[in-house]
């Protein structure tokens, strides 16, 4: 009770700080015509344990926000910083203030990279970083996410109202976006992880043991098959690139003319170049609705097509090391699978534990499908 009162008080304070800052700067950011300063309104759009999202409306257009504020929260006593009880790809998570600063810098560099140069891509305009409060302010983007576009194509639920026409172009662009981002982002001083084949083999062992401990010995072959694949297809040293960090359909806006805007950057690490690509593909295979319905929401043909488009977009006219990519896709899949099991054990999953166990057959099928694709060199 006391905690929720404290949280509510913190939220009010954050909203006040945001309102004050936008009131001060609206003229500078948006020029004239934003209406009287007194008409700045702040509305909470999302509240999670680790972040609060506020929409800011300016005078003359009360219907559409102009600014989005993301307020990162310090871990509280009731949800302390997570000590991973499962294998992870990234050991040592940045602090809340580091995350906030990194996201703001990331948005700034994406804005430089993608504003006005290529009509296929857009960018979120960063407005301000309030260091003391761990708040970033950015311009509101009116567009649906790629996740929402995909959900509109599902076969089982009418909860996702706007029925998009099947369009594959955004998926192709997502791949192309990643290639541009990787080529244009210098590694700088960032720490690297999983830079060698040995590192990847070691992670396959760790995930393999974790999954077979949790799910039973029928799953003991997974780690071994992953390691064999890695040993067979990866070079000693992996080609590396700066990570977007959370390259997934929910972090991509698709605007008019399929203009693609990627947001929510976490460019903390230098990682194997295939990691972000693997994240995008696995996010589709393990989309909540798909896991929940054990694969009924999207047909195999749809998932295959999405993957092909993303990979082709990334490859452009050049070759793509498809076995290496599949190997990494498998590693990311094990990582997300472990995360799902861990969240269910801690009671933090939107899927109940029983439902997750029932979904296990579906996730296992996905692992087998990726292994088959790797074996076939596709
Ligand atoms: N600039 C923006 N304009 C419009 N909507 C936004 C903007 N930034 C974020 N949002 C909305 O808020 C949602 C969450 O934002 P964001 O991805 O930055 O937060 P998050 O805490 O990392 O969420 P997740 O874990 O789902 O990725 C987005 O899916 C989008 O709907
Ligand atoms: Mg996000």
């Amino acid at each position: 009770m006391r905690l929720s009162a404290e949280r509510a008080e913190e939220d009010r304070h954050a909203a006040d700080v945001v309102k004050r800052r936008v009131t001060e700067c609206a003229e500078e950011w948006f020029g004239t015509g934003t209406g009287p300063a007194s008409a700045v309104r702040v509305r909470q759009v999302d509240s999670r344990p680790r972040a609060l999202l506020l929409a800011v409306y300016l005078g003359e257009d009360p219907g559409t926000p102009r600014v989005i504020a993301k307020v990162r929260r310090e871990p509280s006593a009731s949800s302390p910083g997570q000590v991973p009880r499962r294998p992870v790809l990234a050991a040592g998570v940045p602090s809340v203030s580091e995350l906030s600063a990194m996201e703001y810098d990331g948005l700034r560099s994406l804005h430089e990279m993608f504003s006005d140069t290529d009509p296929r891509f857009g960018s979120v305009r960063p407005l301000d970083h309030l260091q003391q409060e761990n708040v970033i302010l950015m311009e509101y983007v009116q567009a649906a996410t790629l996740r929402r576009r995909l959900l509109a194509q599902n076969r089982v639920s009418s909860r996702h109202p706007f029925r998009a026409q099947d369009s594959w172009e955004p998926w192709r662009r997502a791949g192309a976006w990643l290639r541009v981002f990787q080529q244009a982002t210098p590694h700088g001083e960032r720490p690297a992880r999983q830079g060698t084949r040995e590192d990847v083999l070691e992670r396959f062992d760790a995930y393999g043991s974790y999954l077979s401990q949790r799910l039973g010995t029928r799953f003991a072959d997974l780690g071994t098959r992953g390691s064999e694949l890695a040993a067979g297809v990866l070079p000693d040293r992996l080609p590396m690139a700066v990570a977007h960090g959370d390259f997934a359909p929910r972090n991509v806006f698709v605007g008019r003319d399929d203009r693609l805007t990627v947001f929510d950057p976490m460019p903390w690490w230098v990682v194997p170049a295939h990691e972000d690509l693997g994240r995008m593909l696995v996010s589709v295979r393990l989309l909540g609705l798909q896991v929940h319905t054990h694969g009924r929401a999207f047909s195999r043909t749809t998932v295959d097509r999405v993957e092909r488009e993303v990979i082709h977009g990334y490859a452009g006219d050049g070759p793509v090391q498809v076995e290496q990519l599949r190997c990494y896709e498998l590693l990311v899949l094990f990582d997300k699978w472990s995360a799902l099991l861990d969240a269910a054990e801690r009671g933090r999953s939107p899927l109940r534990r029983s439902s997750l166990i029932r979904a296990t057959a579906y996730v296992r099928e996905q692992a087998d499908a990726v292994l088959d694709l790797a074996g076939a060199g596709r």
Side-chain angles (χ1 to χ4, degrees):
M1 197 61 195
R2 217 173 79 76
L3 272 175
S4 64
E6 265 172 31
R7 171 65 44 97
E9 180 52 36
E10 280 167 23
D11 290 357
R12 264 195 304 277
H13 174 68
D16 285 348
V17 170
V18 166
K19 182 171 178 174
R20 220 174 312 131
R21 190 66 185 148
V22 176
T23 305
E24 273 167 28
C25 299
E27 185 71 25
E28 179 198 327
W29 292 340
F30 305 113
T32 51
T34 51
S38 60
V40 172
R41 283 184 306 116
V42 177
R43 198 166 68 79
Q44 185 171 313
V45 283
D46 199 5
S47 173
R48 306 178 193 187
R50 309 309 292 271
L52 170 71
L53 217 67
L54 303 170
V56 188
Y57 298 77
L58 296 186
E60 281 165 2
D61 185 0
T64 314
R66 276 312 284 278
V67 175
I68 289 286
K70 185 162 168 184
V71 185
R72 283 190 192 268
R73 290 171 159 151
E74 296 289 347
S76 70
S78 67
S79 73
Q82 290 145 0
V83 182
R85 293 191 306 201
R86 65 176 190 88
V88 289
L89 291 175
V93 183
S95 70
V96 167
S97 60
E98 285 169 330
L99 282 167
S100 210
M102 171 177 52
E103 182 169 358
Y104 190 68
D105 286 351
L107 282 179
R108 287 212 314 197
S109 79
L110 292 183
H111 191 56
E112 264 169 40
M113 217 176 278
F114 290 105
S115 59
D116 298 335
T117 45
D118 185 331
R120 292 174 302 167
F121 305 122
S123 64
V124 176
R125 179 183 164 203
L127 296 170
D128 206 355
H129 173 211
L130 312 178
Q131 284 182 34
Q132 189 118 36
E133 291 85 6
N134 299 315
V135 176
I136 61 169
L137 299 172
M138 58 194 144
E139 196 161 14
Y140 175 80
V141 176
Q142 179 136 41
T145 63
L146 189 52
R147 175 177 179 276
R148 178 123 189 275
R149 288 274 289 247
L150 179 61
L151 283 171
Q153 284 173 248
N154 90 81
R155 303 182 296 182
V156 294
S157 154
S158 54
R159 262 188 55 210
H160 304 283
F162 96 103
R163 288 242 148 224
Q165 295 198 324
D166 293 2
S167 163
W168 306 107
E169 181 61 21
W171 297 102
R172 188 172 282 252
R173 285 188 187 182
W177 183 95
L178 185 64
R179 174 71 79 182
V180 176
F181 169 74
Q182 290 185 343
Q183 284 176 344
T185 310
H187 293 195
E189 299 291 299
R190 292 173 176 85
R193 56 176 169 79
Q194 283 96 39
T196 66
R197 182 177 54 216
E198 282 308 312
D199 293 340
V200 175
L201 284 170
E202 186 279 322
R203 285 295 79 192
F204 269 120
D205 279 351
Y207 286 112
S209 317
Y210 178 84
L211 291 172
S212 64
Q213 264 169 27
R214 290 297 184 285
L215 299 168
T217 46
R218 282 183 300 126
F219 294 82
D221 63 315
L222 282 172
T224 320
R225 292 175 71 196
S227 300
E228 281 168 7
L229 176 61
V233 304
L234 296 183
D236 288 351
R237 304 194 77 77
L238 276 60
M240 304 293 276
V242 171
H244 169 277
D246 198 5
F247 191 56
R250 69 172 192 286
N251 290 327
V252 177
F253 289 125
V254 186
R256 222 181 305 145
D257 300 328
D258 289 338
R259 195 176 169 110
L260 211 85
T261 299
V262 179
F263 62 103
D264 202 5
M266 297 226 299
W268 185 260
W269 299 96
V270 171
V271 299
H274 287 127
E275 183 179 304
D276 272 340
L277 200 54
R279 282 185 190 282
M280 178 59 74
L281 305 186
V282 171
S283 298
V284 173
R285 288 184 185 273
L286 298 192
L287 198 74
L289 183 66
Q290 183 76 333
V291 175
H292 203 64
T293 60
H294 311 170
R296 287 198 308 281
F298 302 100
S299 69
R300 184 93 179 239
T301 319
T302 299
V303 174
D304 284 352
R305 179 72 190 265
V306 163
E307 290 207 328
R308 269 207 316 279
E309 297 293 344
V310 176
I311 295 168
H312 284 160
Y314 182 76
D317 296 327
V320 61
Q321 307 291 334
V322 76
E323 290 104 335
Q324 290 185 31
L325 162 62
R326 294 298 182 188
C327 176
Y328 231 85
E329 184 178 357
L330 187 69
L331 189 67
V332 174
L333 192 138
F334 285 0
D335 181 61
K336 300 237 182 226
W337 196 354
S338 310
L340 283 173
L341 291 169
D342 185 52
E345 268 176 21
R346 292 165 182 255
R348 287 187 187 161
S349 168
L351 294 170
R352 284 215 308 275
R353 189 173 155 75
S354 55
S355 154
L356 195 64
I357 298 292
R358 280 204 306 279
T360 294
Y362 167 75
V363 185
R364 165 87 212 208
E365 259 172 42
Q366 300 311 300
D368 289 336
V370 175
L371 278 159
D372 288 348
L373 285 163
R378 287 197 295 127

